[in-house]
């Protein structure tokens, strides 16, 4: 695997902890946050990961097809207000927008009676680890060498040689250029979730949000000459011409499909249907924006959608909470 491919995944980190340990080693949420600070630096009052981003807002309208499989208010057919955040993975607030790592879409659905539902996604169909400890190893392996300002190639090689669960996402990022705009990125739920219908029956599902503007990557020339910061401006410029929309497409799992490993893709022939449409109508800088203070915990779920026992999904909630606590304290 090339150093460039290694670097893709090394930058695309959600969270990890200190020490280059075997993937079976258990890690804690506070250790994860400390490691992010050790690799990317501590930025008081800011997120420890996906630090660079932009706020947005709009609404979501679900379909009757989804309502047959889930009693969630998301699929009532009503316009559900949404606060969104688009971001770059990693803890460097000065990362260039051509960085070859993942982009994120985080959504807070504001349901009736003050109920909230969160969905957090990446523009990769798989994640870079099957166990939380792989995050630990990945973030530590990607720490820049003080002499070069870049990750140590030998350390990265060691990481990839001993962590097979990191390879699928690295391969995807190596084969797909970063998007030309947030409006031209497909975002994936990564994990398997459960839709729960009126009869309390559970349906295992995975989803992706497909942009109606089309999925478009940067050309090699654009990567070379693009401005350092362009994603926020391009989203704002696009919205001057009208709303930006994504269709929520849901795939239904079959027996034998992975339910707890976000590094494994489901077969492409799984039945898929349109569950709704997300419409974004406005954007704003994250500083002082509606999304800035939101902790987009993916386990904040309303009735009708439930998590599986995916260890990565389950770990994200305490890791987000640890980071959020430091943000609120201003540390």
């Amino acid at each position: 695997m090339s150093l460039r491919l290694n670097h893709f995944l090394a930058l695309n980190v959600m969270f990890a902890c200190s020490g280059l340990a075997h993937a079976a080693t258990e890690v804690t949420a506070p250790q994860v946050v400390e490691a992010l600070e050790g690799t990317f630096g501590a930025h008081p009052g800011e997120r420890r990961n996906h630090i660079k981003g932009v706020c947005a807002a709009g609404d979501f309208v679900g379909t009757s097809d989804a309502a047959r499989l889930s009693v969630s208010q998301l699929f009532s057919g009503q316009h559900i207000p949404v606060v969104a955040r688009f971001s770059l993975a990693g803890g460097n607030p000065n990362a260039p927008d051509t960085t070859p790592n993942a982009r994120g879409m985080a959504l807070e659905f504001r349901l009736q009676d003050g109920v909230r539902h969160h969905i957090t996604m990446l523009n990769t169909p798989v994640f870079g680890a099957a166990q939380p400890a792989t995050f630990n190893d990945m973030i530590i392996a990607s720490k820049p060498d003080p002499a070069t300002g870049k990750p140590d190639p030998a350390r990265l090689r060691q990481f990839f040689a001993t962590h097979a669960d990191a390879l699928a996402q690295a391969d995807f990022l190596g084969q797909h250029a970063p998007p030309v705009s947030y409006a031209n990125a497909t975002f994936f739920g990564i994990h398997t979730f459960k839709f729960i219908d009126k009869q309390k029956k559970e349906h295992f599902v995975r989803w992706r949000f497909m942009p109606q503007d089309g999925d478009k990557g940067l050309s090699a020339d654009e990567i070379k000459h693009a401005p350092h910061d362009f994603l926020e401006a391009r989203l704002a410029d696009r919205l001057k011409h009208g709303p930006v929309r994504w269709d929520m497409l849901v795939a239904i799992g079959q027996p034998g499909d992975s339910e707890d490993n976000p590094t494994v893709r489901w077969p492409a022939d799984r039945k898929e249907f349109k569950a709704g449409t997300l419409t974004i109508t406005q954007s704003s800088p994250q500083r002082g924006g509606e999304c800035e203070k939101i902790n987009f915990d993916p386990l904040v779920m309303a009735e009708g959608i439930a998590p599986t026992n995916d260890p990565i999904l389950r770990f994200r909630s305490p890791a987000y909470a640890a980071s959020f606590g430091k943000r609120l304290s201003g540390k």
Side-chain angles (χ1 to χ4, degrees):
M1 179 176 294
S2 69
L3 175 60
R4 183 167 181 262
L5 201 54
N6 287 351
H7 188 54
F8 286 155
L9 188 59
L11 288 173
N12 182 29
V13 179
M14 294 299 293
F15 30 70
C17 87
S18 59
L20 190 58
H22 187 274
T25 303
E26 298 214 359
V27 295
T28 67
Q31 287 174 321
V32 162
V33 175
E34 291 173 6
L36 285 167
E37 293 171 341
T39 292
F40 296 110
H43 305 279
E46 301 288 344
R47 286 172 165 82
R48 270 36 180 189
N49 188 35
H50 284 260
I51 189 171
K52 186 178 183 181
V54 57
C55 292
D59 65 29
F60 178 85
V61 179
T63 67
S64 58
D65 286 339
R68 282 191 282 271
L69 296 182
S70 171
V71 296
S72 172
Q73 289 185 42
L74 289 179
F75 311 122
S76 66
Q78 302 297 312
H79 287 261
I80 308 295
V82 174
V83 175
R85 183 175 185 268
F86 297 93
S87 62
L88 272 71
N92 178 8
N94 299 311
D97 284 353
T98 54
T99 298
N101 62 356
R103 274 64 176 150
M105 174 196 273
L107 305 174
E108 179 174 270
F109 299 84
R110 299 190 165 179
L111 307 175
Q112 295 179 359
D113 301 321
V115 176
R116 299 289 187 260
H117 186 99
H118 289 173
I119 290 180
T120 59
M121 296 174 284
L122 295 177
N123 70 324
T124 62
V126 291
F127 197 61
Q131 296 291 331
T134 295
F135 296 134
N136 172 56
D137 297 356
M138 179 167 54
I139 194 67
I140 299 303
S142 65
K143 185 174 182 178
D145 184 331
T148 65
K150 298 179 181 180
D152 179 1
R155 198 172 180 87
L156 287 174
R157 285 193 296 270
Q158 179 186 0
F159 168 75
F160 281 98
T162 56
H163 297 77
D165 55 338
L167 298 178
Q169 188 187 53
D171 288 342
F172 182 88
L173 288 168
Q175 297 171 25
H176 295 78
V180 300
S181 166
Y182 286 128
N184 297 108
T186 299
F187 293 95
F188 300 82
I190 302 295
H191 308 286
T192 302
F193 295 88
K194 293 182 285 188
F195 276 7
I196 304 171
D197 64 23
K198 293 179 180 179
Q199 287 72 44
K200 306 298 183 182
K201 182 179 179 181
E202 296 180 347
H203 308 269
F204 289 93
V205 299
R206 288 187 176 184
W207 58 68
R208 57 194 170 109
F209 279 56
M210 288 283 293
Q212 292 188 4
D213 281 13
D215 196 304
K216 302 175 184 176
L218 295 166
S219 67
D221 188 64
E222 287 172 327
I223 291 174
K224 185 177 180 180
H225 296 102
H228 186 277
D229 304 298
F230 66 85
L231 286 171
E232 182 174 333
R234 284 189 182 178
L235 180 59
D237 289 344
R238 168 61 183 83
L239 287 167
K240 292 177 182 178
H241 301 284
V244 183
R245 295 183 173 88
W246 285 260
D247 292 324
M248 181 182 185
L249 303 179
V250 173
I252 303 174
Q254 295 184 9
D257 288 344
S258 174
E259 298 173 8
D260 58 7
N261 189 341
T263 72
V264 176
R265 299 183 74 168
W266 283 0
D269 62 355
R270 293 296 174 261
K271 180 181 178 181
E272 191 173 65
F273 66 91
K274 180 179 175 180
T277 298
L278 171 69
T279 301
I280 295 297
T281 56
Q282 59 181 294
S283 66
S284 65
Q286 68 175 351
R287 182 60 60 88
E290 186 74 9
C291 77
E292 184 182 23
K293 298 298 184 181
I294 297 176
N295 177 29
F296 289 96
D297 182 343
L299 292 187
V300 173
M301 297 182 184
E303 182 184 4
I305 303 176
T308 56
N309 289 322
D310 180 339
I312 299 298
L313 176 59
R314 296 287 182 172
F315 190 76
R316 289 172 70 181
S317 185
Y320 283 29
S323 174
F324 191 59
K326 285 201 169 187
R327 278 209 291 142
L328 291 180
S329 69
K331 295 182 179 178

